Each structure stands twice: as C-alpha cells, then as structure tokens.
Amino acid sequence: MTACVIEPTTTAHEHGGTPQAGCAITVDGCYAARLARDGDSLFPERWTLDGPEPYAVPLPGNQPEEPGTEVQPMGDGRVLIRRLVAGRHTFSLLYPTGPDTGELPLGAVGTPDGATRLRLLPPAPGGARAYALAVGRHSSAVWLVAGGGRGPEHVAEIPGRCSGGVWLDGTGRMLALDREIGGRTKTVVVDLRRGGEVSPLLQITANSDDRLLLAAPDSGLLLIRSDAPSPGRERLGWGVLGSMQPVRFPDCLRADDCTVTPFAIQPGQVLMPEDCAVALRIDGPLGSWVGVWRPATRRVHHLPAPDGWLAGAGHWTEDGVLHLPYATAEAPCAVARVTAPSGEPEEVSGAGGSAPGGQIEGGTAARAASGGSGEPSEPDPPAPAAPRPVPLQQAPLGFVRRIRAEESQGV
C-alpha cells in the first residue's frame, strides 16, 4: 500500500473553529493513528513513535472506509475507529493479526433525531479509555466508547451545544468543553467522576466568546481564544489554571492575514507555566508552517514545516524537542525533530535550511509562502509591547483546587 496524507474529515466548525490535525497522537506520544489513502481508497493506519525509528502498520478492513470515519490510537497500540452506518455510530478496536486486521466491535450510539452530530474527543490521558461528544439541538452528551467494558456508556449530559474538548488533568477526570448558550460561548468543566457535574471555567467578560484550546496539566498553562480584548475579533491568549492572574493576549500572537492555532504544549514543566514551549500551526494564504512560543519571551519563532507534515499534529518531549510526523512518497512514515529555541532574540540564528529560531532534524523543510525559499514569507514580528491583561470573571477557579485536593486524598 502506498499511503499519503489526506485532509481531516471533520470540519473546523465542529471543533470550535480550530483546524483539525492530520493524525491523532496519544498523550504520551507513543502511538498515532490516521486515515491514509491508497489510490481512491481510505484505510486506517497506526504509527508507532516510541522506538528508535517510527513505523506504520496499515489496518485495512474488508472494504475501504467512508469519508467521515474517525480513528484514534489507544495506549496499548490498538486503534479505535468510528464509522457511521445506517444512522448509527459504530465503534470497534482494530489491531494487526499477521497479514490481516483484527476487529473487536464495541457497540454503537444512535442519533435518531437526525440533528445530533457525534465525533471523538481528543485522546484521554492514560490511553485506556476513549470518549465521544454528541451535540444535539439543545444539549450535548459525553459517551465513554472504549474502555468501559459494557459497550458505549452515557456519562454526562450538558445543557447547550458544546464544541472543543480539552483534558485538564492527568487522570481523564476533568474535561473542558466550550458551551454555547444564548449566542455566547464559554468554557465549562465536566467532572466525569461526579456524574457529569458542570462547573464554569472561563468567562472573561459577560459578552465575550471564550474558548479553551489547550491545557498542560503539569504546569497549568492554558491557551485561550477570545474576543474579549477586541470585541468581534478573536485573539489568542494565555492564563494559568487556578491562578488569580488575568488572561493575557500578547501582541506577538496576532496575525491579521493568518490563522494561528496552538497544537502542543511542552509537558513536565511543573510550576513553570511561563517557561513551557508552545507549538503553533500557522496557516497563511500561501502555505502553513510552525511557530514556537513561550509566554515568558513574548516572541514567536517561525520554522518551516517538513514536507508532508500531517498539519497540526505534533508532540513535545519534556526536554523541549518537538516531534512533527510527516509522510512523503520517499518517507511514508517519518518524524522531524525540532529543538525548541531558548527564546532570547540575540541567540536566534538561521542554519542548515531551518527558519530563524530553531533547528529541524529529519525531513526536508517545506517550501512555504515565499515560493521555495524554505522560509515563510511573513517575517518575525517586532518585539511587542507588554501583553494586555483581561480580568478573569471566574478566577481563581476554586473548584479545580478542590478536585485536585480530593484526588490527592484518594476521593
């Protein structure tokens, strides 16, 4: 089989306006899964990423997959697949069995009203469970679709239409969703161990649309998109989970003619949220590339993406190396490694075909907007002014501290 990357089958609208990645990666970075193409046929493919060299295992079924099918890697190397069959969403676990593909059916979730849309939520911490979000006309439901032992289980019902999906802890208990009620979107937290208890997480102003894009449980760093600082125009900002400090919206994250989407945060930076490296997907009119930013530096370093990058997919190691999966005809399963820049402007230099701010190992730099120079056409922005703080109406998020205290006590 000759595999190539395909465009995601779910829309950005279903995910709160966030462009979707070319593959899904487990939280620990060991496995990835995607739909690949062989001619006109689609098939699931699992990537193993934790060995000396990445390798792919095709998992084709008895017939090609339909557009709209979703796949997600589990922590044990199996791949969860969601198919839409006769108005029902069916779930199975795929695994290699010699030259064939084994399939373990898990059950189905029906959407009888025809208006409910269901999709998989991002991989959960631990890799043993997987969840889906069903969005109806007036409410949204969270389903446990793998790892429960009894088929799909309804675990939470949330009033309002929800999008997004971010895990706030390392146990898969606290799930943040962006909920739309009355024409406004605010982020709430669903406690999956308390029967789906819903608590407010993010409300910057009463009239703003506030969405959570990423969270790092180790450091508490949050990446947020909101129109609070510029009504009617969304901007990227950052805050810290449970902090009394306001959300900040650095000028360096503004891009008038580009879409900037954070897709990975460096883990392991306990109590150091401002030092976490954040990977950004930057989509411009002539191409896509990678940005690296730290809250403490207030500077974005622009890097060319490797050719064939599964756009928006990547994983940080604790020591600051960004792994970017890519697929080309010559390298159908490969990972480019990006060393995070220190963030000091005087130390930034371009070398070896990489854009200013870091080095890429493994993979050819993508020819970006400038027409083949290997660097994006947009230059690094000038040093910005201090970030503009916006007060958090719901700070200090005491319920987060309460839940963490309960977990430490084994509740």
Side-chain angles (χ1 to χ4, degrees), residues 65 74-75 101 107 127 170 173 180 194 207 212 246 265 278 367 374 384 394:
E65 302 298 339
M74 304 295 291
T101 300
R173 173 179 178 175
E180 180 187 350
R194 287 179 172 264
N207 296 320
L212 180 64
I265 302 178
V278 179
R367 281 186 284 184
Q394 296 293 339

Side-chain angles (χ1 to χ4, degrees), residues 154-301:
H154 182 273
V155 295
E157 190 77 22
I158 305 102
R161 295 177 58 84
C162 293
S163 59
V166 175
W167 297 100
L168 295 177
D169 65 331
T171 65
R173 173 179 178 175
M174 294 185 291
L175 173 66
L177 295 170
D178 301 324
R179 179 175 65 174
E180 180 187 350
I181 291 182
R184 292 297 177 190
T185 299
K186 307 292 181 183
T187 304
V188 298
V189 174
V190 182
D191 189 339
L192 300 182
R193 292 189 190 172
R194 287 179 172 264
E197 177 182 295
V198 178
S199 303
L201 176 70
L202 182 64
Q203 178 171 294
I204 300 178
T205 70
N207 296 320
S208 59
D209 289 318
D210 312 313
R211 294 180 173 87
L212 180 64
L213 304 182
L214 279 182
D218 294 335
S219 63
L221 179 64
L222 306 178
L223 273 296
I224 294 156
R225 194 184 300 278
S226 173
D227 62 356
S230 305
R233 183 176 181 181
E234 293 186 333
R235 290 183 56 181
L236 278 180
W238 67 278
V240 179
L241 191 65
S243 172
M244 293 288 292
Q245 298 298 316
V247 173
R248 296 178 180 272
F249 294 86
D251 287 340
C252 66
L253 296 181
R254 297 179 65 178
D256 293 337
D257 56 350
C258 299
T259 299
V260 181
T261 306
F263 65 88
I265 302 178
Q266 182 183 0
Q269 308 302 299
V270 180
L271 303 179
M272 297 189 297
E274 295 189 11
D275 291 332
C276 291
V278 179
L280 308 170
R281 170 181 174 175
I282 306 175
D283 296 295
L286 298 178
S288 300
W289 62 95
V290 179
V292 177
W293 166 78
R294 299 178 194 267
T297 63
R298 301 196 297 272
R299 177 184 174 91
V300 175
H301 300 272

Side-chain angles (χ1 to χ4, degrees), residues 267-367:
Q269 308 302 299
V270 180
L271 303 179
M272 297 189 297
E274 295 189 11
D275 291 332
C276 291
V278 179
L280 308 170
R281 170 181 174 175
I282 306 175
D283 296 295
L286 298 178
S288 300
W289 62 95
V290 179
V292 177
W293 166 78
R294 299 178 194 267
T297 63
R298 301 196 297 272
R299 177 184 174 91
V300 175
H301 300 272
H302 297 271
L303 304 165
D307 285 333
W309 178 38
L310 307 186
H315 180 266
W316 283 106
T317 63
E318 291 190 7
D319 55 355
V321 178
L322 177 62
H323 291 192
L324 298 173
Y326 69 95
T328 64
E330 297 77 17
C333 176
V335 173
R337 294 171 176 84
V338 179
T339 302
S342 67
E344 295 299 328
E346 62 269 21
E347 296 181 6
V348 173
S349 62
S354 66
Q359 294 181 347
I360 295 183
E361 301 174 1
T364 304
R367 281 186 284 184

